[in-house]
Amino acid sequence: MTVAFTFPGQGSQSVGMGKSLADEFTAARLVFEEVDDALGEKLSRTIWEGPEDQLQLTANTQPALMAVSLAAIRVLEAEGLDLKADISYVAGHSLGEYSALCAAGTFSLADTARLLRIRGNAMQKAVPVGKGAMAAVIGLAFEDVEAVCKEASSAGVCEIANDNGGGQVVISGEKAGVEKGVALATDKGAKRALLLPVSAPFHSSLMAPAADAMEEALAEVRKGVPAVPVVANVRAEPVSDPEEIASLLIAQVTGRVRWRETVSWFAANQVETLYEIGAGKVLTGLARRIDRSVNGIAVGGPDDIDGALKAIKG
Protein backbone atom coordinates (compact mmCIF):
# COMPACT_ATOMS: atom_id res chain seq x y z
CA MET A 1 0.00 0.00 0.00
CA THR A 2 1.37 3.40 -1.01
CA VAL A 3 0.63 6.08 1.58
CA ALA A 4 1.06 9.86 1.72
CA PHE A 5 0.63 12.31 4.58
CA THR A 6 -1.16 15.62 3.97
CA PHE A 7 -1.22 18.61 6.28
CA PRO A 8 -4.09 21.11 6.63
CA GLY A 9 -4.01 24.84 6.01
CA GLN A 10 -5.83 27.90 7.27
CA GLY A 11 -9.51 27.31 7.95
CA SER A 12 -8.97 24.04 9.85
CA GLN A 13 -8.21 25.77 13.16
CA SER A 14 -10.42 25.61 16.25
CA VAL A 15 -9.89 26.50 19.90
CA GLY A 16 -8.86 23.37 21.82
CA MET A 17 -7.22 21.58 18.89
CA GLY A 18 -4.35 19.31 19.89
CA LYS A 19 -5.15 19.50 23.62
CA SER A 20 -6.16 15.85 23.94
CA LEU A 21 -2.92 14.77 22.22
CA ALA A 22 -0.84 16.89 24.60
CA ASP A 23 -2.76 15.59 27.62
CA GLU A 24 -2.22 11.95 26.64
CA PHE A 25 1.22 11.90 25.01
CA THR A 26 4.47 13.43 26.22
CA ALA A 27 5.75 13.58 22.64
CA ALA A 28 2.88 15.90 21.70
CA ARG A 29 3.27 18.09 24.77
CA LEU A 30 6.95 18.60 24.00
CA VAL A 31 6.07 19.90 20.51
CA PHE A 32 3.84 22.63 21.95
CA GLU A 33 6.52 23.54 24.50
CA GLU A 34 9.17 23.83 21.79
CA VAL A 35 6.91 26.02 19.62
CA ASP A 36 6.20 28.25 22.63
CA ASP A 37 9.94 28.57 23.28
CA ALA A 38 10.71 29.32 19.62
CA LEU A 39 8.14 32.14 19.52
CA GLY A 40 8.85 33.45 23.00
CA GLU A 41 5.19 33.26 24.03
CA LYS A 42 2.55 30.78 25.18
CA LEU A 43 0.92 30.14 21.81
CA SER A 44 -0.27 26.82 23.26
CA ARG A 45 -2.52 28.72 25.68
CA THR A 46 -4.15 30.57 22.77
CA ILE A 47 -4.55 27.29 20.86
CA TRP A 48 -6.25 25.50 23.76
CA GLU A 49 -8.09 28.31 25.54
CA GLY A 50 -8.56 31.07 22.96
CA PRO A 51 -9.92 33.62 22.71
CA GLU A 52 -10.98 32.61 19.24
CA ASP A 53 -10.28 36.01 17.70
CA GLN A 54 -6.64 35.69 18.79
CA LEU A 55 -6.31 32.21 17.32
CA GLN A 56 -7.83 33.48 14.05
CA LEU A 57 -5.07 36.06 13.60
CA THR A 58 -3.01 34.83 10.66
CA ALA A 59 0.27 35.20 12.55
CA ASN A 60 -1.10 32.83 15.23
CA THR A 61 -3.14 30.48 13.04
CA GLN A 62 -0.21 29.44 10.87
CA PRO A 63 2.23 28.24 13.57
CA ALA A 64 -0.71 26.91 15.62
CA LEU A 65 -1.92 24.55 12.90
CA MET A 66 1.65 23.44 12.26
CA ALA A 67 2.12 22.69 15.97
CA VAL A 68 -0.95 20.45 16.06
CA SER A 69 0.18 18.58 12.93
CA LEU A 70 3.69 18.05 14.27
CA ALA A 71 2.33 16.94 17.65
CA ALA A 72 0.42 14.19 15.83
CA ILE A 73 3.51 13.25 13.81
CA ARG A 74 5.69 13.03 16.90
CA VAL A 75 3.15 10.80 18.61
CA LEU A 76 2.97 8.51 15.57
CA GLU A 77 6.77 8.32 15.54
CA ALA A 78 6.94 7.64 19.28
CA GLU A 79 4.48 4.78 18.76
CA GLY A 80 6.51 3.19 15.96
CA LEU A 81 6.10 5.11 12.69
CA ASP A 82 9.21 5.42 10.51
CA LEU A 83 8.35 8.23 8.08
CA LYS A 84 11.05 7.33 5.56
CA ALA A 85 10.20 3.63 5.55
CA ASP A 86 6.42 3.82 5.89
CA ILE A 87 5.37 6.93 3.91
CA SER A 88 6.02 7.65 0.24
CA TYR A 89 5.21 11.38 0.00
CA VAL A 90 4.09 14.39 2.01
CA ALA A 91 2.13 17.46 0.94
CA GLY A 92 0.41 20.34 2.68
CA HIS A 93 -2.22 22.91 1.79
CA SER A 94 -0.62 26.38 1.79
CA LEU A 95 0.92 26.78 5.28
CA GLY A 96 0.53 22.99 5.58
CA GLU A 97 3.44 22.65 3.17
CA TYR A 98 5.67 23.96 5.96
CA SER A 99 4.21 21.33 8.31
CA ALA A 100 4.95 18.67 5.69
CA LEU A 101 8.54 19.86 5.32
CA CYS A 102 9.04 19.96 9.07
CA ALA A 103 7.67 16.43 9.40
CA ALA A 104 10.07 15.29 6.67
CA GLY A 105 13.04 16.97 8.33
CA THR A 106 13.75 19.81 5.89
CA PHE A 107 13.21 22.39 8.65
CA SER A 108 13.57 22.08 12.40
CA LEU A 109 10.43 22.53 14.48
CA ALA A 110 11.68 25.82 15.97
CA ASP A 111 12.62 27.23 12.56
CA THR A 112 9.25 26.19 11.11
CA ALA A 113 7.40 27.98 13.90
CA ARG A 114 9.42 31.14 13.35
CA LEU A 115 9.05 30.96 9.55
CA LEU A 116 5.28 30.68 9.86
CA ARG A 117 5.12 33.58 12.29
CA ILE A 118 7.10 35.68 9.79
CA ARG A 119 4.89 34.43 6.94
CA GLY A 120 1.68 35.23 8.79
CA ASN A 121 2.82 38.72 9.74
CA ALA A 122 4.18 39.44 6.25
CA MET A 123 0.95 38.31 4.56
CA GLN A 124 -1.10 40.46 6.90
CA LYS A 125 1.06 43.53 6.30
CA ALA A 126 1.33 43.13 2.51
CA VAL A 127 -2.07 44.70 1.80
CA PRO A 128 -3.94 47.30 3.88
CA VAL A 129 -7.01 45.90 5.65
CA GLY A 130 -10.07 46.40 3.48
CA LYS A 131 -8.21 46.65 0.19
CA GLY A 132 -8.08 42.93 -0.54
CA ALA A 133 -10.61 40.10 -0.52
CA MET A 134 -11.05 36.40 -1.20
CA ALA A 135 -14.12 34.46 -2.29
CA ALA A 136 -15.10 30.83 -2.72
CA VAL A 137 -16.75 29.79 -5.97
CA ILE A 138 -18.65 26.52 -5.74
CA GLY A 139 -19.97 24.53 -8.67
CA LEU A 140 -18.18 26.08 -11.63
CA ALA A 141 -15.54 24.35 -13.73
CA PHE A 142 -11.98 25.56 -13.19
CA GLU A 143 -11.83 26.94 -16.74
CA ASP A 144 -15.01 28.94 -16.15
CA VAL A 145 -13.53 30.48 -13.01
CA GLU A 146 -10.40 31.37 -14.99
CA ALA A 147 -12.61 33.21 -17.48
CA VAL A 148 -14.44 34.96 -14.63
CA CYS A 149 -11.14 36.18 -13.17
CA LYS A 150 -9.96 37.49 -16.53
CA GLU A 151 -13.17 39.48 -16.98
CA ALA A 152 -13.31 40.67 -13.37
CA SER A 153 -9.75 42.00 -13.55
CA SER A 154 -11.10 45.08 -15.32
CA ALA A 155 -12.31 46.20 -11.88
CA GLY A 156 -9.15 45.20 -9.97
CA VAL A 157 -6.81 42.26 -9.41
CA CYS A 158 -8.76 38.98 -9.42
CA GLU A 159 -6.85 35.70 -9.55
CA ILE A 160 -7.32 32.04 -8.68
CA ALA A 161 -5.72 31.41 -5.28
CA ASN A 162 -6.74 27.81 -4.52
CA ASP A 163 -7.86 25.12 -6.92
CA ASN A 164 -9.23 22.91 -4.15
CA GLY A 165 -11.09 20.43 -6.33
CA GLY A 166 -14.55 19.02 -5.95
CA GLY A 167 -15.96 22.08 -7.68
CA GLN A 168 -14.41 24.50 -5.19
CA VAL A 169 -12.16 27.30 -6.41
CA VAL A 170 -11.03 30.28 -4.30
CA ILE A 171 -10.34 33.64 -5.93
CA SER A 172 -8.26 36.42 -4.45
CA GLY A 173 -7.22 40.00 -5.17
CA GLU A 174 -8.40 43.57 -4.83
CA LYS A 175 -11.80 43.96 -3.22
CA ALA A 176 -13.49 45.48 -6.29
CA GLY A 177 -12.08 42.78 -8.58
CA VAL A 178 -13.11 39.92 -6.32
CA GLU A 179 -16.59 41.38 -5.80
CA LYS A 180 -17.01 41.61 -9.57
CA GLY A 181 -15.76 38.01 -9.80
CA VAL A 182 -18.44 36.90 -7.33
CA ALA A 183 -21.15 38.61 -9.38
CA LEU A 184 -19.89 37.14 -12.66
CA ALA A 185 -19.57 33.65 -11.19
CA THR A 186 -23.16 33.85 -9.94
CA ASP A 187 -24.30 34.95 -13.40
CA LYS A 188 -22.45 32.02 -14.97
CA GLY A 189 -24.36 29.54 -12.78
CA ALA A 190 -22.15 28.93 -9.76
CA LYS A 191 -24.03 27.10 -7.01
CA ARG A 192 -22.51 29.58 -4.57
CA ALA A 193 -20.06 32.45 -4.77
CA LEU A 194 -19.36 34.16 -1.48
CA LEU A 195 -16.78 36.42 0.07
CA LEU A 196 -14.64 34.74 2.75
CA PRO A 197 -13.97 36.17 6.22
CA VAL A 198 -10.22 36.57 5.71
CA SER A 199 -7.96 39.47 6.51
CA ALA A 200 -5.83 39.54 3.35
CA PRO A 201 -5.85 38.39 -0.31
CA PHE A 202 -3.66 35.32 0.09
CA HIS A 203 -2.04 33.59 -2.91
CA SER A 204 -2.44 36.57 -5.19
CA SER A 205 0.08 38.90 -6.84
CA LEU A 206 -0.76 41.47 -4.14
CA MET A 207 1.26 39.29 -1.73
CA ALA A 208 4.56 40.17 -3.45
CA PRO A 209 5.93 42.01 -0.38
CA ALA A 210 5.30 38.87 1.70
CA ALA A 211 7.14 36.76 -0.90
CA ASP A 212 10.13 39.09 -0.52
CA ALA A 213 9.98 38.65 3.27
CA MET A 214 9.93 34.86 2.92
CA GLU A 215 12.85 34.90 0.50
CA GLU A 216 14.89 36.74 3.13
CA ALA A 217 13.71 34.47 5.98
CA LEU A 218 14.27 31.22 4.08
CA ALA A 219 17.80 32.25 3.13
CA GLU A 220 18.73 32.29 6.81
CA VAL A 221 17.51 28.84 7.91
CA ARG A 222 19.11 25.45 7.56
CA LYS A 223 17.38 23.32 4.91
CA GLY A 224 17.83 19.56 4.80
CA VAL A 225 16.85 17.00 2.16
CA PRO A 226 13.39 15.74 3.13
CA ALA A 227 13.13 12.12 4.24
CA VAL A 228 10.45 11.66 1.57
CA PRO A 229 9.60 13.91 -1.41
CA VAL A 230 7.15 16.77 -0.89
CA VAL A 231 4.51 17.35 -3.55
CA ALA A 232 4.75 21.12 -3.85
CA ASN A 233 1.65 23.36 -4.02
CA VAL A 234 2.69 25.47 -6.99
CA ARG A 235 3.95 22.57 -9.09
CA ALA A 236 1.74 19.64 -8.03
CA GLU A 237 4.67 17.24 -8.36
CA PRO A 238 7.33 15.97 -5.95
CA VAL A 239 10.55 17.80 -5.14
CA SER A 240 13.44 16.91 -2.83
CA ASP A 241 16.18 19.48 -3.49
CA PRO A 242 16.29 21.89 -0.52
CA GLU A 243 17.03 25.02 -2.59
CA GLU A 244 14.28 24.17 -5.06
CA ILE A 245 11.91 23.63 -2.14
CA ALA A 246 12.78 27.09 -0.79
CA SER A 247 12.20 28.76 -4.17
CA LEU A 248 8.82 27.06 -4.48
CA LEU A 249 7.82 28.22 -0.98
CA ILE A 250 8.62 31.79 -2.05
CA ALA A 251 6.56 31.34 -5.23
CA GLN A 252 3.74 29.82 -3.18
CA VAL A 253 3.05 33.14 -1.39
CA THR A 254 1.77 34.73 -4.60
CA GLY A 255 1.05 31.51 -6.49
CA ARG A 256 -1.87 29.14 -6.78
CA VAL A 257 -2.38 26.20 -4.43
CA ARG A 258 -2.94 23.40 -6.94
CA TRP A 259 -4.62 20.95 -4.57
CA ARG A 260 -6.91 19.28 -7.11
CA GLU A 261 -3.88 18.49 -9.27
CA THR A 262 -1.93 17.35 -6.20
CA VAL A 263 -4.53 14.76 -5.26
CA SER A 264 -4.83 13.71 -8.92
CA TRP A 265 -1.04 13.27 -9.02
CA PHE A 266 -1.26 11.01 -5.97
CA ALA A 267 -4.00 8.94 -7.61
CA ALA A 268 -2.00 8.61 -10.83
CA ASN A 269 1.06 7.46 -8.90
CA GLN A 270 -0.51 4.57 -6.97
CA VAL A 271 -1.07 6.42 -3.69
CA GLU A 272 -4.07 4.64 -2.19
CA THR A 273 -4.47 6.46 1.13
CA LEU A 274 -3.98 10.08 2.17
CA TYR A 275 -3.71 10.55 5.92
CA GLU A 276 -4.59 14.12 6.94
CA ILE A 277 -2.35 14.85 9.91
CA GLY A 278 -3.54 17.51 12.35
CA ALA A 279 -6.64 19.61 12.88
CA GLY A 280 -9.92 19.05 11.08
CA LYS A 281 -10.99 16.97 8.10
CA VAL A 282 -10.99 19.51 5.26
CA LEU A 283 -8.42 17.73 3.09
CA THR A 284 -10.02 14.35 3.73
CA GLY A 285 -13.30 15.67 2.37
CA LEU A 286 -11.62 17.22 -0.65
CA ALA A 287 -9.76 14.00 -1.48
CA ARG A 288 -13.01 12.06 -1.66
CA ARG A 289 -14.53 14.63 -4.00
CA ILE A 290 -11.47 14.85 -6.25
CA ASP A 291 -10.79 11.13 -6.82
CA ARG A 292 -12.78 8.28 -5.30
CA SER A 293 -9.88 5.89 -5.82
CA VAL A 294 -7.97 7.70 -3.07
CA ASN A 295 -9.00 7.00 0.50
CA GLY A 296 -8.78 9.96 2.89
CA ILE A 297 -8.35 9.41 6.64
CA ALA A 298 -8.02 12.17 9.27
CA VAL A 299 -5.55 11.67 12.13
CA GLY A 300 -5.98 14.42 14.68
CA GLY A 301 -6.65 12.95 18.11
CA PRO A 302 -5.56 10.13 20.42
CA ASP A 303 -8.31 7.82 19.16
CA ASP A 304 -6.93 8.03 15.61
CA ILE A 305 -3.35 7.01 16.38
CA ASP A 306 -3.63 3.22 16.86
CA GLY A 307 -5.85 2.70 13.83
CA ALA A 308 -3.56 4.70 11.58
CA LEU A 309 -0.46 2.89 12.77
CA LYS A 310 -2.01 -0.56 12.33
CA ALA A 311 -3.14 0.31 8.81
CA ILE A 312 0.21 1.84 7.81
CA LYS A 313 2.46 -0.77 9.42
CA GLY A 314 0.26 -3.66 8.33
Side-chain angles (χ1 to χ4, degrees), residues 10 12 21 40 42-43 141 164 212 220 225 263 266 285:
Q10 212 151 328
S12 292
L21 279 174
K42 283 279 188 182
L43 181 64
N164 285 333
D212 293 340
E220 296 177 359
V225 176
V263 174
F266 282 135

Side-chain angles (χ1 to χ4, degrees), residues 212-244:
D212 293 340
M214 292 315 298
E215 182 174 13
E216 186 176 323
L218 285 160
E220 296 177 359
V221 301
R222 180 194 166 277
K223 297 172 280 289
V225 176
V228 296
V230 58
V231 181
N233 281 187
V234 297
R235 194 174 286 173
E237 61 185 29
V239 292
S240 291
D241 177 73
E243 292 308 317
E244 186 177 15

